[in-house]
Amino acid sequence: MTFLTPFMLAGALAAGIPVAIHFFFRSRYRTVPWAAMKFLLTSVEQTSRRLKFQELLLLLLRMAVLVMLAIAFARPISSAVVGTGRGDSVDAALVFDVSYSMAAQDGAKSRLQRAKDEALKIIDELPPQSTVQIITCTEKNHTLVGPRSPGNLDQARLLVQNLEIAHRATDLSPGVIEAQGVLQRGQASNKELYIFSDMQAQGFEKEGDKLKATLTAIKEKALIHLIRCGKGNLKNVAIVGITPQTGIPRPGERVGFAVLVKNTGRDAAENLTVSLAVAGDKAPPEKAIIKKLPPGETRAVTLDAKLETAGLRVLSAKVIQDDLDADNRFDHVILVREQVNILVVDGNYKEKDADTSSSYFLMHSLLPVREEQRATYKYNPRVVPARQATALHLKNQDVVVLVNCSLKAKLGKRADVLQAEFVNGLEPFVRKGKGLVIFCGDNVDPESYNTTLGKKLGLLPMPIKSLFKAEKKPLLVNRTSFGNGPPAYWVFKDEKYYEDFNNVEVWKHVDLDEAAVAKKIEPKKKPTPLDEADPDDPEAKDKNDAKEKPSPKDESPLSVVVRLSNGKPLAVAKKVDSGEVLFVATAAHHEGLDPKTFIPSWTDFGTAPQFIPFMDVTINYLVNGQTQTYNLKAGDTLNWYVTDKQDFVYNLVHPDGKVARLGTPERIGKRFIVTASDLPRAGVYHMTVHPRGADSSGDTIDPAEAAKIGTPIAVIPDLSESENLATLSEADIDSRLGFTPIHIVAGENSVSTGDERLNREWTVWALLAVLALVLLEAGFAWWCGRAW
């Protein structure tokens, strides 16, 4: 036997009250000798023994009344004997896995539809006075759907019928933890948990220990039902990426894109049709056929698209047809531009002796064409001396390259020093999505770089320790290390054409402190750019100057692009909000040759044939990364950084035309930000901007109309959901949980909601016992008080 409200048993302590009263009012007398009473002594002793026995019985009855009353308030339940009908009521928690694998077609119905049908059957079979709460869950997310009044079963049925898929991955633990709280708040003696899922393995693995502990605690007071809503192996292929094959997309040109298709099922897929279309274009989409795709294999299909106009364009790749439709479409926003504007700031610029300037070879690598072709070339670089660079030069630029720039003047040494105005302007330039490349040289002072670009602005990927100079033989580039960096650079590791990268000599480089970065980032909770100081608050600014500022979107904001033969980083990338910084630990110019040996002072990288493709990939990587703000996955939070129109109202139009009002930007730290966290489904969203009082779009808008006035944001499914579609058997689940729940297959064996309910509440019987004891005590007290 157990109790629903065991704390009420403390009321049994009131049974001591009659005992206290008994001793408090106990008769006290003084013996007085009286000869006439001597003959009555024997009779009195006999009578007193009878009275004491009667008083003891009355005391026990009164104590029993209080103890039984406390037991009744504690609401005892038991499964030994059938109790009252009130105990049949149930507190039911229905947890639905709404990850997109539940959208798979399993015969005539989807898995989610099978879950809905089974849930409606369960609700119909619940006894009177029962309550229901509906909970949906995906990875790192759960929602208590309702109903608002748990006893409103009609509303619960309606909520079940309206459940929708979210394009996120599976994780059952958030929903089960919420269900535990729901069941604890319930008042019924019977408690039941129903989990509707396709029993995908990752749903039990992501938070496996937490899920097991929670279900083990729940089973002590509730029946646990696992409703399997799908069976068999799915045939599934997914679009996992779209990447340009010809560098920077330009208007009016046909651009080749690699559409990556992966078979995530267990069987080979045959005769797959892959297509690529540009949103808004009337031209039919390009198509290709994959005759056979083995399980687990990823195939790159090259398709062309003609991008007529400049600006943000949406590419949509599709593949047909399999059992799971949610990951068959991949939307991607790209920026089509006439040219990429590049500002090169040279800290050792020499107009008369141009070939000795630090940017000489760099400028040739950015313009490797004839003079007459430069006006129409994809890159539009401009070089300015460091001393002349101002914040105005950053306007309309896509990438800034600092070459051998000094941040601090040195006594006895002439060097162009960057103005503070320009240096401070680099931070907002990068954070709003632009690219920054930094090359070293003799003018790079570790202390000033660490203080200004590192601690103050948060732009330096790693602290600089000291200058390293090879003595007898140079260090070489470790070509294989390109494979550990961003995928854009993998071509240098894999392509035979780039084998000579291993011959690039580096005689001098700055040593970067990898250990310091790991020590700072790993133990701490990842800070966000929202924590930055307000520039108008000097106190707050001083506190934040020393903070590490990794990207809010990327759990690993740092990546080593390539290393040297001694294992030291040669190039390091760091995400900073929507932008990125690439730091190269050596120079872009040889910075002087030994007159006898012709050995470069720093490196021969700038004169090597590999320097041109390296810079080409770097610019493409930084420019394509500028569209990260416009490309998210379901479940991500959209942080929209506003540079103008701070007093306007922002709306987010969902793919189905539903309008979510985000309001005006909020000033947090140094920027104005609009945030949207409700991106549960994949598709193309549009951010629209309206003056205050001018928004009359209503609750919905035609998506085609939103595309004309809004900025596109492409949201793809969380592809980790379909990476592994393996499901667990009943035996596997029992082994992971350590106990055996009730297993049900939706649509096959009906859920009996009565056979397993054994708990019956004895509260009414306990109250009846209290009433009986009260009557018995009153009657016995009357009988004892009669005159004999």
Side-chain angles (χ1 to χ4, degrees), residues 535-757:
D536 298 329
D537 183 358
E539 249 183 86
K541 186 176 186 303
D542 291 340
K543 291 178 183 178
N544 266 346
D545 274 349
K547 285 189 179 179
E548 187 73 19
K549 300 174 182 177
S551 163
K553 290 178 58 177
D554 197 322
E555 294 294 337
S556 302
L558 297 175
S559 59
V560 178
V561 174
V562 63
R563 294 181 182 271
L564 292 166
S565 54
N566 64 352
K568 298 294 184 180
L570 176 62
V572 184
K574 176 183 179 180
K575 295 182 183 297
V576 183
D577 283 4
S578 300
E580 192 154 2
V581 179
L582 182 77
F583 183 88
V584 182
T586 192
H589 192 279
H590 53 64
E591 299 298 331
L593 297 174
D594 186 284
K596 295 181 179 180
T597 63
F598 293 97
I599 292 176
S601 177
W602 278 77
T603 179
D604 66 356
F605 191 21
T607 59
Q610 294 78 17
F611 192 55
I612 293 177
F614 177 81
M615 287 306 303
D616 188 51
V617 169
T618 296
I619 299 300
N620 288 342
Y621 170 66
L622 295 175
V623 170
N624 289 328
Q626 294 176 12
T627 60
Q628 286 183 356
T629 303
Y630 312 101
N631 292 290
L632 305 171
K633 75 173 185 294
D636 285 348
T637 296
L638 171 64
N639 289 314
W640 190 265
Y641 298 93
V642 179
T643 56
D644 56 3
K645 298 184 178 179
Q646 287 94 350
D647 197 39
F648 282 55
V649 176
Y650 288 74
N651 293 340
L652 185 65
V653 182
H654 288 230
D656 59 359
K658 178 183 176 183
V659 178
R661 287 174 170 77
L662 306 180
T664 57
E666 180 182 5
R667 181 174 179 176
I668 302 177
K670 299 178 180 180
R671 293 175 304 285
F672 289 87
I673 299 175
V674 174
T675 302
S677 58
D678 186 17
L679 303 176
R681 297 181 63 82
V684 180
Y685 296 70
H686 289 90
M687 182 73 76
T688 61
V689 187
H690 310 272
R692 287 178 180 267
D695 177 21
S696 58
S697 58
D699 295 329
T700 61
I701 186 175
D702 183 3
E705 183 64 28
K708 295 178 182 178
I709 62 174
T711 303
I713 299 167
V715 177
I716 62 170
D718 185 346
L719 295 173
S720 66
E721 169 70 358
S722 54
E723 183 79 19
N724 180 11
L725 292 168
T727 59
L728 298 179
S729 66
E730 293 181 7
D732 291 335
I733 294 173
D734 296 346
S735 175
R736 289 173 184 268
L737 298 182
F739 66 92
T740 303
I742 301 168
H743 292 279
I744 303 294
V745 178
E748 290 192 1
N749 45 335
S750 61
V751 181
S752 174
T753 56
D755 295 344
E756 299 86 4
R757 293 189 195 118

Side-chain angles (χ1 to χ4, degrees), residues 304-462:
D304 291 342
K306 188 174 183 180
L307 306 164
E308 298 291 351
T309 58
L312 294 171
R313 307 300 303 275
V314 180
L315 294 175
S316 296
K318 296 181 181 179
V319 61
I320 54 174
Q321 179 144 15
D322 55 19
D323 296 332
L324 183 58
D325 186 61
D327 57 3
N328 291 350
R329 172 172 171 164
F330 191 104
D331 296 306
H332 187 72
V333 176
I334 63 170
L335 180 58
V336 182
R337 63 187 87 204
E338 297 286 351
Q339 286 182 310
V340 177
N341 295 322
I342 304 172
L343 177 67
V344 178
V345 182
D346 192 340
N348 185 36
Y349 184 74
K350 298 176 182 178
E351 188 173 359
K352 293 183 179 180
D353 299 321
D355 59 342
T356 62
S357 297
S358 295
S359 61
Y360 179 76
F361 297 121
L362 175 67
M363 289 296 293
H364 280 75
S365 71
L366 296 176
L367 285 173
V369 293
R370 296 177 180 178
E371 186 71 31
E372 61 271 17
Q373 296 175 322
R374 293 186 174 185
T376 59
Y377 189 61
K378 60 183 178 179
Y379 298 146
N380 178 32
R382 174 191 179 189
V383 62
V384 296
R387 65 180 181 277
Q388 296 179 7
T390 67
L392 292 176
H393 284 102
L394 298 175
K395 189 176 181 180
N396 298 325
Q397 299 299 320
D398 298 304
V399 178
V400 170
V401 184
L402 303 182
V403 188
N404 194 16
C405 289
S406 175
L407 302 181
K408 180 181 178 182
K410 291 185 178 180
L411 292 175
K413 186 173 183 181
R414 182 183 178 278
D416 289 344
V417 179
L418 288 174
Q419 299 181 32
E421 173 202 10
F422 176 82
V423 175
N424 292 332
L426 289 174
E427 183 192 15
F429 174 82
V430 174
R431 289 188 182 277
K432 68 181 181 181
K434 306 297 184 175
L436 173 64
V437 182
I438 304 173
F439 280 96
C440 291
D442 294 328
N443 294 332
V444 173
D445 172 56
E447 182 182 355
S448 61
Y449 268 63
N450 289 337
T451 301
T452 304
L453 293 181
K455 292 181 180 180
K456 182 180 179 181
L457 302 180
L459 298 179
L460 194 64
M462 291 182 183

Side-chain angles (χ1 to χ4, degrees), residues 32-47:
V32 178
W34 186 18
M37 296 298 295
K38 183 178 181 181
F39 300 101
L40 298 176
L41 181 60
T42 302
S43 176
V44 169
E45 288 177 352
Q46 294 176 351
T47 303

